[in-house]
Amino acid sequence: MTTYDYDLLTIGGGSGGVRASRFAAQYGARVALAEKSDLGGTCVNLGCIPKKLMSYSAHFHEDFSDAKGFGWQLGQATFDWPTLMANKDREIERLNRVYRTTLEHALVEVLDGHAQIEDAHTVLIDGQRISARFILVATGGYPTQPVFSGSEHGITSDDFFHLDRLPARAVVIGGGYIAVELASILNGLGSKVTLIYRGSRLLRTMDHDLGPFLAAEMVKKGIDVRFDTIVESIHAASAELDEVKHLKLNQSGHKHEIDAECVLFATGRQANTANLGLEKAGVTVRENGSIIVDAQFKTSIDSIYAIGDVIDRVALTPVALAEGMVVAANLFQTGEQGKRGLSYENIPTAVFSHPNVATVGLTEQDARKNYGTVKIFKSEFRMLKHTLSGSSERTFMKLVVDADSDRVLGLHMVGADAGELVQGFAVALQCGATKAQFDATIGIHPTMAEEFVSMRTPI
Ligand code: NDP
C-alpha cells in the first residue's frame, strides 16, 4: 500500500480549509494545512471581521445623534481613523493566533508557505515536496477590478482595510454586497460618498423590493447613489489619498464629472487558482478560474477536493464551513464515508449596509417561477426607537408564502440588526414552517421581530 506523508493536505487556511482540516484530524486523519499568508483567510483578514468592526464604528455616528432625543447631551464627537485601524488590526492578529493554536490543538500541522500541486498526491510547499492521500484546495478568492483608462488609480476592498486615513470624498463602484457595505461604512465615518452602479437595482440578485428600499435609506443617510452609470475614465497622478481623482461618468448617455480622493472598486471577486499547479495535476477549472467539483466536492481528479469561494458556488463563510465539514466526514468519519452532501436551500445571508439587509429562502420572483401562486405579505414602518431619536430610517419586512401548501418560502428584511433577526427565522424556514405556524407564534413586544408573526393581510 502506498504511504503518504499525510492523509489530507489542505491548501488555504481560511474558514473552509481550517474547518475541514480540524474535523478531518478529529476523525483520526493525519492532516497538514499550507498557508502562505495569515491564517483566517478573507473572512478574518480582509472581509467579514474587519468589515463588521468598521461597521460598528460607523454606526456610532448615528447613535450619537439618536441619543439626543433620549435626553443625552453629548459634546462634539470626533473620529480617529488610526485608533480604529490599530484596534481592528490588533483583533485580527489575535484571531490569527487563535486559528493557529486551534489547529495545533487539533493536531493539524501548519506549513507556512506557498503550495503548488505537482500531481494527484504531491504538493510542493516553498520547494519542499509533500505527499498526501487527499488534497483539499480551499484557496478562496480575491477582488477584481475592471480595466479602463485610469482604473489603476482605484483600489479594492483589500486595500480599503489598510488605508492610512479616511478619504474626504470616496466613489464606490458596484451595486453588490461589498459596494453597499463599504459605502455605508465610509459614509458613517464621515466621508462624502458617491455610489456608482451600472444597473438600476442594488443587490440585484435578492428580492426586488430590497434594493430600492435600501437605496432610498442610503440616500437619506447622505450617500449620493447613481444608477445606470459607468465610470469611463479616471484621471489622476496616482492612487494615493492625497491625489484628487477626476472621474468621467456616463449616466445613460449623460456625461458628468466628479472628483474624489478614493475610488473603490467593489465589482466582484474571482477564484484564487493561479499558480496552484491545477492544470499540471489535471484539475478542471471554469473560464473564470473557479474549480469544478461534484456534489461531494471532488474535482476532476479523484484525490483532489475543493471547497469555499474557489468553487464559486455561494461565497459565504458559513457555507465554506459546511462544505469543509462535508468533505472531512465523507473522507474520514467512520461509517459516514461518501454519504454526505450539502443542501444549498434556505441559506440565510445578511448584508451589513446601513441599514442592514437580511434574507432567507426564495425571492418573490423565484417563488412565482417555481411555485406559481404565492401570497406576499409586506410591512414598512419606523421602529419604536426612532419615534424619539427623530431618525427617519424605516424598516421593511416581507414574507413570501406558497398559496397551496401555506409554507413560508422566503423572508426578507431591511432594517437594524436584520441579520440577527433573520438567523432565527431561518430555522423556521429550514423546518418548513407554514404561515399558519408563523401566525400561531406569539410575538415579543415591543420588538421589530414581532412584525414577522403579525402580518395578516396579503397584498
Ligand atoms: P457582487 O457580485 O455581490 O457584486 C459585484 C457588483 O459589481 C455588481 O453590482 C456588479 O454589477 C458590479 N460589477 C461587476 N463588474 C463590473 C464592471 N466591470 N463595472 C462596473 N460594475 C461592475 O460582488 P461583491 O464583490 O460585492 O461580493 C462578492 C461576494 O462576496 C458576494 O456575492 C457575497 O457572496 C460575498 N460577500 C458576502 C458578504 C456578507 O456575507 N455580508 C459581504 C461581502 C461579500 P451587476 O449587478 O450589474 O452585475
Side-chain angles (χ1 to χ4, degrees), residues 392-408:
S392 62
E393 183 180 295
R394 293 184 74 75
T395 298
F396 174 77
M397 290 178 175
K398 176 170 180 176
L399 289 176
V400 180
V401 178
D402 176 22
D404 282 343
S405 66
D406 196 41
R407 236 184 78 200
V408 179

Side-chain angles (χ1 to χ4, degrees), residues 315-338:
L316 297 172
T317 289
V319 174
L321 298 178
E323 292 170 345
M325 288 192 287
V326 167
V327 169
N330 279 341
L331 295 182
F332 302 111
Q333 191 178 8
T334 312
E336 281 296 308
Q337 273 102 336

Side-chain angles (χ1 to χ4, degrees), residues 29-47:
R30 293 167 306 135
V31 185
L33 180 148
E35 171 58 64
K36 64 176 175 185
S37 184
D38 294 319
L39 289 171
T42 302
C43 178
V44 167
N45 296 288
L46 296 163

Side-chain angles (χ1 to χ4, degrees), residues 165-458:
R165 78 190 98 128
L166 179 70
R169 292 170 297 180
V171 166
V172 179
I173 302 169
Y177 276 75
I178 298 181
V180 298
E181 289 184 343
L182 299 192
S184 296
I185 290 172
L186 283 161
N187 181 59
L189 295 179
S191 292
K192 187 174 171 350
V193 180
T194 306
L195 180 69
I196 292 178
Y197 178 41
R198 65 182 179 183
S200 54
R201 197 182 63 248
L202 298 179
L203 303 175
R204 75 170 163 82
T205 57
M206 294 192 171
D207 188 277
H208 291 190
D209 279 332
L210 301 182
F213 194 90
L214 174 66
E217 291 302 315
M218 288 174 72
V219 168
K220 280 199 274 181
K221 291 181 193 299
I223 299 178
D224 178 2
V225 183
R226 303 196 189 180
F227 291 107
D228 305 306
T229 302
I230 54 167
V231 180
E232 290 187 327
S233 66
I234 303 172
H235 186 76
S238 77
E240 297 300 315
L241 284 184
D242 42 18
E243 289 286 346
V244 175
K245 284 96 194 159
H246 309 284
L247 287 80
K248 288 206 160 97
L249 309 181
N250 184 336
Q251 185 166 21
S252 312
H254 299 285
K255 309 273 184 176
H256 303 275
E257 294 195 7
I258 183 174
D259 288 348
E261 283 71 31
C262 174
V263 180
L264 172 58
F265 287 103
T267 46
R269 296 177 61 85
Q270 201 164 335
N272 221 343
T273 46
N275 275 329
L276 269 182
L278 292 172
E279 317 76 43
K280 199 169 166 196
V283 174
T284 313
V285 298
R286 293 184 191 86
E287 211 173 304
N288 68 5
S290 61
I291 300 177
I292 298 172
V293 291
D294 66 12
Q296 300 201 325
F297 307 100
K298 187 158 73 177
T299 68
S300 52
I301 300 297
D302 278 353
S303 58
I304 304 182
Y305 285 69
I307 54 165
D309 291 5
V310 80
I311 63 171
D312 195 22
R313 280 191 183 166
V314 180
L316 297 172
T317 289
V319 174
L321 298 178
E323 292 170 345
M325 288 192 287
V326 167
V327 169
N330 279 341
L331 295 182
F332 302 111
Q333 191 178 8
T334 312
E336 281 296 308
Q337 273 102 336
K339 287 190 186 159
R340 286 213 208 157
L342 184 67
S343 164
Y344 288 87
E345 270 178 32
N346 289 327
I347 294 172
T349 180
V351 186
F352 296 96
S353 47
H354 295 198
N356 291 179
V357 175
T359 166
V360 58
L362 296 183
T363 64
E364 176 181 343
Q365 296 70 38
D366 284 343
R368 283 193 191 285
K369 251 186 261 153
N370 301 337
Y371 285 81
T373 319
V374 293
K375 288 193 218 160
I376 303 296
F377 299 81
K378 290 189 202 182
S379 180
E380 190 199 315
F381 54 92
R382 186 150 79 130
M383 66 193 274
L384 178 63
K385 179 180 171 190
H386 294 323
T387 57
L388 294 200
S389 75
S391 165
S392 62
E393 183 180 295
R394 293 184 74 75
T395 298
F396 174 77
M397 290 178 175
K398 176 170 180 176
L399 289 176
V400 180
V401 178
D402 176 22
D404 282 343
S405 66
D406 196 41
R407 236 184 78 200
V408 179
L409 302 173
L411 183 146
H412 312 278
M413 172 174 176
V414 184
D417 297 321
E420 301 292 345
L421 205 147
V422 168
Q423 177 71 83
F425 282 106
V427 179
L429 263 71
Q430 187 67 11
C431 297
T434 61
K435 180 66 171 64
Q437 289 168 324
F438 268 57
D439 294 347
T441 304
I442 307 284
I444 299 175
H445 189 68
T447 62
M448 288 193 288
E450 66 180 319
E451 192 63 14
F452 272 129
V453 296
S454 309
M455 292 190 252
R456 291 291 185 272
T457 317

Side-chain angles (χ1 to χ4, degrees), residues 8 10 12-27 31 33 99 102-103 106 108 136 138 307 317-329:
L8 176 70
T10 301
S15 311
V18 168
R19 180 61 69 91
S21 302
R22 277 207 302 125
F23 273 70
Q26 238 174 57
Y27 298 138
V31 185
L33 180 148
Y99 269 65
T102 307
L103 285 168
V108 174
L136 174 64
I307 54 165
T317 289
V319 174
L321 298 178
E323 292 170 345
M325 288 192 287
V326 167
V327 169

